[in-house]
Amino acid sequence: MTTILTKHESAWKRDPRQVFQYDVRGYPPGEGAGIAQFPHHGWSIMRWNETEQTEWIENFQTADDALAALQARFDQGDSALISRRTIEGSFDIVWMNFERRDEPPVYALHFMPYQGMKNGAQKRRELTGQEALKRYLERLGFALLRIYTILQDVDRNYSADLPNVMMNEYEFAVSYRN
């Protein structure tokens, strides 16, 4: 039987009536998720269980996009809580299409944890556009000045190797773990 997550209005502005927060239903007992709109950041998601919750993460264009992301993760077997625990490792950014400057840049991102890394090739994440890379680095917790330095390095060298990066355990599991 397929579980379908649904969003339900939980907070709105009065005049005009505009929903800015939803509860997400369909998770196993003791677990849940929320979707909320933040000014200048779009829609974000939060997961929780009976003992802990996450920060608001990601930026989606619409609440339906956020719900679709939660559904996709749930369908992949990710019903567990998004953890606040972090993993330390090396984070690499490679500009894949640097020779085609007339196209939007495509970046391949690799995170290699210092402990527990399995043998063989590691899964990568791809982002298109410098703004998408900037937002992702912000979400990982890099300071804005550091982000601009990283972007300059990638622009100049077509790649950047960032040692000692702390990544959220959930982000690693969803984006990089085989």
Side-chain angles (χ1 to χ4, degrees):
M1 183 168 122
T2 303
T3 299
I4 297 178
L5 302 178
T6 56
K7 62 182 175 57
H8 301 269
E9 297 178 4
S10 60
W12 48 89
K13 299 174 186 171
R14 285 191 203 174
D15 191 28
R17 188 171 192 274
Q18 179 182 355
V19 177
F20 67 89
Q21 188 168 331
Y22 295 92
D23 289 330
V24 178
R25 297 182 189 154
Y27 284 97
E31 294 186 29
I35 300 172
Q37 184 179 34
F38 293 92
H40 312 295
H41 293 286
W43 293 88
S44 297
I45 57 176
M46 176 192 288
R47 289 273 286 116
W48 63 82
N49 67 15
E50 294 170 340
T51 60
E52 60 181 324
Q53 70 182 35
T54 67
E55 304 295 326
W56 290 101
I57 60 170
E58 303 200 38
N59 297 313
F60 298 95
Q61 292 292 319
T62 68
D64 288 334
D65 291 343
L67 180 64
L70 287 168
Q71 183 70 56
R73 291 174 182 173
F74 186 85
D75 292 345
Q76 294 170 1
D78 172 35
S79 65
L81 175 72
I82 302 170
S83 175
R84 289 186 190 209
R85 290 183 295 224
T86 56
I87 300 169
E88 185 174 13
S90 176
F91 185 65
D92 296 331
I93 304 168
V94 179
W95 183 359
M96 300 298 290
N97 62 339
F98 67 89
E99 71 285 351
R100 296 187 302 270
R101 297 270 181 164
D102 58 326
E103 297 177 7
V106 176
Y107 303 103
L109 311 177
H110 296 92
F111 182 78
M112 284 70 65
Y114 291 146
Q115 295 183 356
M117 185 170 152
K118 296 179 182 177
N119 295 334
Q122 295 296 306
K123 187 175 165 184
R124 76 177 184 203
R125 179 177 186 148
E126 286 189 11
L127 295 175
T128 301
Q130 194 175 59
E131 186 60 31
L133 178 59
K134 179 180 168 274
R135 284 193 315 268
Y136 187 73
L137 292 171
E138 285 174 339
R139 201 172 82 223
L140 291 180
F142 286 94
L144 197 54
L145 186 58
R146 178 73 174 121
I147 290 170
Y148 286 119
T149 301
I150 293 167
L151 294 176
Q152 286 176 344
D153 287 347
V154 172
D155 193 48
R156 185 174 40 253
N157 303 315
Y158 314 122
S159 66
D161 178 26
L162 309 171
N164 307 319
V165 171
M166 301 302 290
M167 180 171 289
N168 178 283
E169 187 178 69
Y170 178 80
E171 177 64 27
F172 174 70
V174 169
S175 298
Y176 301 98
R177 186 168 39 205
N178 286 334

